[in-house]
Amino acid sequence: MSTLRFHALKKTLANKPVMFDDNVRRSELFASNVFNENTMQKYLTKDAMQGVLNAIQRGKKIERGVADQVAASMRDWALSKGVTHYSHWFQPLTGSTAEKHDAFFELTENGLGIEKFEGSSLVQQEPDASSFPSGGIRNTFEARGYTAWDPTSPAFIIGTTLCIPTIFVAYTGEALDYKTPLLKALHAVDEAATDVCKYFDKNVKKVSSSLGWEQEYFLVDKELIASRPDILLTGRTLIGHSSAKGQQLDDHYFGAIPTRAFNFMKDLEHECILLGIPVKTRHNEVAPNQFELAPIYEEANLAVDHNALVMDIMARVAKRHNFKVLLHEKPFAGINGSGKHNNWSLSTDTGINLLSPGKTPMSNLQFLTFFINTIKAVKDYEELLRASIASASNDHRLGANEAPPAIMSVFIGEQLSKVLAELEGVTKGKLSPEEKTELKLNVVGKIPDVLLDNTDRNRTSPFAFTGNKFEFRAVGSLSNCGNPMTVLNTIVAKQLKGFKVEVDTLINKKDLKKDEAIFNVLREYIKDTKAILFEGNGYGKIWEDEAKKRGLSNNRTTPEALEAKISEKSISLFEEMGVMSKIETVARYEIEMEAYVTHIQIESIVLGDMARNQIVPTAVKYQNILIENVQGLKSIFENDFNKLAKEQLKLIKEISKHIEGINDNVTKMIKAREAANSNEKVQEKAIAYCFKVKPFFEKIRTHCDSLELLVDNEIWPLAKYSEMLFTR
C-alpha cells in the first residue's frame, strides 16, 4: 500500500490544471438547458401555458389535454438538443437523488420506430420502490411506488437525458421523499403568512418561502483518495494524524484560489448556469483545500432541488479535474468541517421581503411581526429543529471548531435586542395616543437605522438574523435542505396561525384596535422567547449550563435528537398543518435511525479492517527493521550494545504497546457491535452503536495516529493529512 501511496503522490504532483474557458456571458447561457417559462412560451399554446402557470402559482390540477401538449413540447425541445432519454428525477430518503432512464423511442404497430412521450409518462411513473427506505410503510416485496410531476420545478437536461423533477410516494399515498412534505409545508406557510399579511396589506395573495444555501466542500486529488479506504467508503478519515500546519495561519481563507480548484469552479459554475442554478459566489474557506459555492436566493422548493442537483454535478465535474469532492461534514479531524448555511426568508407576491424593515412604521410593524413570530417558532420547537439537521456525519461537526453547537439558540444582535426590550414595556390592553406615537416614531420607526449597524459577528450561532433573513447555520454540508426547510416552514406556519387567532381574539373580544392587538401579542412573545436568544459564544460548559437553566435541550447525538421527531407535540404539529401523517412521521424517524446505525456500522467495520490489515502489518514491518538493527548492533558492539540500542529498544516497545492497544480495542469494538446488532428495536440499536460501539473509534485512532509518527514515512500506507490538504 505504501507503493500505492507514493505512486498516487507522484501522479498528483504531475497533475496539471484542466483549463476551462468561460468567456461566454452568463446571461446568454443561463437556463439554456431548462424547460422553464421562457422556453414553454415558445412551444405551448396560450391556453396550455395558462394551465401550467395555474398549477405553478395556484396549485391547480393540470388537465390531461394540457399535460399531453406539455409532454409533446418538452419532447420536441429535448430532441432539438440531442436528448434521447427522459427520467423522473426525485429525492428519496437515501439522502441522494434517484433516476430511471427511459428512451423516447417506441415501436408502431407496423414495426417502425418513433420518438414518443405522452402526458401520462410526464405526469406519473412507477419506479421499483423496493430498494428505497420506507420506514415500515410497506413490505420490501411490495415494489410499487409512484413518481408524480412537480410543475413548480422545471425539467432540465443532463447529458442526453431530460430530467423531470417529481415527488415520490408509496402505493398507499405516503411520502417516500423529501419533496412531498416540503411542498406541503410551503403551502402551509403560504396560507398562514398570507392571512397575517392582510393586517398590513389587503392586496397580498401569496407568500413564498425563499432559500439561499451556501455549499461548503473539500477538494482532494482523486489519486490520493485511492490510498484511503476510509474516505472511499465513509466519506471521512477514520485514521490520520494532524498536519503540523493546518488552518492556524488563516492563509487559505479568502486567499487566491488555487489554479486547479479555480478551473474546477469555473467548469462547475458553467454547468450550473446551463441548468438555471444562479450561482454567484465562490471562495476559499477556512480549512486548507476547503471551498464554498453560493447562489442567489430562490423559491425554497426550487432552491432545494438545485442544491441536490449541484451536489450531483460537483462529483461529475470533479472527475474531469482529477479531484474527489468531499461533502462530509467532518472529513478531517482538527480543522473546520463543512456546513450548508440555509438563508431563509418570506416574501409576498407584491414584492415585499417580510423579514426586511420598510420605510413606514406600519411596514416595520409587519417586519417585527414576522421577525418575532419566527423567534417564537424556534423557541417552541427548538428540539424538532435540532432533529431536522441530525445525522451521523453532522454529529462530528456540531460544537467543533467554528461550527454551531447542538444547542439551538437565536442570535439577533445587540441593537435588535434593545428594540425588543423596549417593546416588552408596551402597556397591556389599549395604548394611549402618546405611547402609540412613541412606539411608531422612536422604536418601530428607527428599525432601518438599527439594522444598518447590526452586522452579525457571531459565527457560532446556529440560527442568526443577518439583516433581512434568518441564517440556519447548523445544517450539514451533506444534508438535503428539504428536511430542515420542511420543519422550519411548518413551525413558522403553526406559529403564524396561532398569532392570528390571538390577535383576532383581542380585536373581537377586547375591543382593541389592530395595531394595539398586535403590540400586545408581540409583547408576550418577547417575554416568552428570552430563553432562546443568545448573543455570546456557543461553546463550552458555561453556555451548556446556562442553556440547561433556560430549559433548552442539548441533544449532542443523533439518536437523542431524533426522539423529538416522534414526540406527540411533533406528530400533532405535522398532522395539524397537513404536512405529514403520523405514519409518515414515524417512518422517517425509523429511516433516519436506521441510516445512523448503518453509517456507524460501516465506519466500525472499515476502521477495524484498516487498523488490523494495514496499520498493524506496517507497524510490525517497521518493528522487524528495528529488530534487525538492534541485532546488528549487538553483534558488532557487544559491550556498548545497551547504550547504542537504547532508543531502538524503546521504540520497539512503544510500537508493541500501540499494536496491542489496536488489537485489544478492535476486538472489544467487534463484540460491542455484535451486542448492538442483537437489539431488535432500531432505537435501542442506534443507542448501542452511539454509546457502546462509537467510543472505540477514538481509542483505536489514537493508537494508529501515534504509530504514524513512529513508523518510517517510506512504508506508511495511507496518504497523510499534509499530503491531502496541501498538495494542490
Side-chain angles (χ1 to χ4, degrees), residues 491-539:
I491 64 176
V492 171
K494 164 72 172 173
Q495 176 54 42
L496 290 172
K497 188 177 175 183
F499 170 77
K500 188 170 189 307
V501 170
E502 291 187 60
V503 171
D504 286 349
T505 299
L506 290 178
I507 293 172
N508 297 326
K509 294 186 177 181
K510 300 292 184 179
D511 196 30
L512 297 187
K513 292 183 178 179
K514 179 180 65 179
D515 53 352
E516 290 176 330
I518 291 172
F519 275 125
N520 270 266
V521 175
L522 293 182
R523 179 195 63 236
E524 297 307 308
Y525 287 177
I526 291 168
K527 292 177 182 178
D528 188 49
T529 55
K530 285 184 177 180
I532 200 72
L533 297 177
F534 181 60
E535 308 296 307
N537 190 318
Y539 298 129

Side-chain angles (χ1 to χ4, degrees), residues 258-320:
T259 305
R260 282 183 66 196
F262 185 56
N263 279 280
F264 160 81
M265 288 178 176
K266 290 196 293 182
D267 196 353
L268 171 63
E269 290 177 12
H270 176 79
E271 295 287 345
C272 289
I273 290 298
L274 291 175
L275 292 168
I277 304 171
V279 290
K280 186 173 179 67
T281 302
R282 64 189 180 204
H283 62 81
N284 293 347
E285 260 299 336
V286 175
N289 278 353
Q290 187 187 30
F291 308 94
E292 181 181 296
L293 173 73
I296 299 169
Y297 71 89
E298 301 177 279
E299 185 277 326
N301 176 47
L302 183 58
V304 169
D305 281 359
H306 279 167
N307 181 249
L309 184 55
V310 158
M311 291 193 286
D312 288 345
I313 298 169
M314 290 174 94
R316 295 191 185 109
V317 174
K319 288 181 181 178
R320 298 203 288 260

Side-chain angles (χ1 to χ4, degrees), residues 621-650:
K621 183 177 181 180
Y622 183 57
Q623 196 175 45
N624 287 336
I625 293 172
L626 292 173
I627 290 170
E628 287 181 21
N629 175 260
V630 169
Q631 289 173 337
L633 288 172
K634 186 176 183 179
S635 64
I636 297 172
F637 305 101
E638 290 185 5
N639 296 331
D640 296 327
F641 160 70
N642 286 328
K643 180 181 178 182
L644 294 171
K646 178 183 177 182
E647 294 302 319
Q648 291 92 321
L649 289 169
K650 188 189 296 183

Side-chain angles (χ1 to χ4, degrees), residues 233-234 392 590-606 673 677 682 685-686 689 697:
L233 297 175
T234 73
E590 297 274 345
I591 290 167
E592 290 175 23
M593 279 292 212
E594 283 285 1
Y596 179 84
V597 168
T598 303
H599 278 99
I600 302 301
Q601 187 180 70
I602 291 171
E603 288 188 349
S604 169
I605 294 169
V606 171
R673 194 168 67 225
N677 291 337
V682 67
K685 188 181 291 187
Y689 265 97
F697 289 12

Side-chain angles (χ1 to χ4, degrees), residues 435-449:
E435 187 173 8
K436 279 188 181 181
T437 301
E438 174 66 18
L439 283 171
K440 289 179 179 179
L441 293 181
N442 297 323
V443 180
V444 179
K446 288 187 175 180
I447 288 175
D449 295 331

Side-chain angles (χ1 to χ4, degrees), residues 423-436:
L423 288 174
E424 189 182 347
V426 168
T427 300
K428 187 173 183 179
K430 291 183 180 292
L431 308 182
S432 67
E434 293 79 15
E435 187 173 8
K436 279 188 181 181

Side-chain angles (χ1 to χ4, degrees), residues 604-605 607-608 611-612 659-677 688-689 691-697 699-700 703:
S604 169
I605 294 169
L607 177 59
R612 281 184 165 170
I659 290 173
E660 181 184 4
I662 289 171
N663 282 322
D664 180 51
N665 282 293
V666 169
T667 298
K668 290 177 179 176
M669 180 179 68
I670 291 171
K671 289 180 178 178
R673 194 168 67 225
E674 290 171 349
N677 291 337
Y689 265 97
F691 296 106
K692 300 296 183 182
V693 177
K694 192 179 172 186
F696 286 107
F697 289 12
K699 295 177 182 178
I700 295 167
H703 288 294

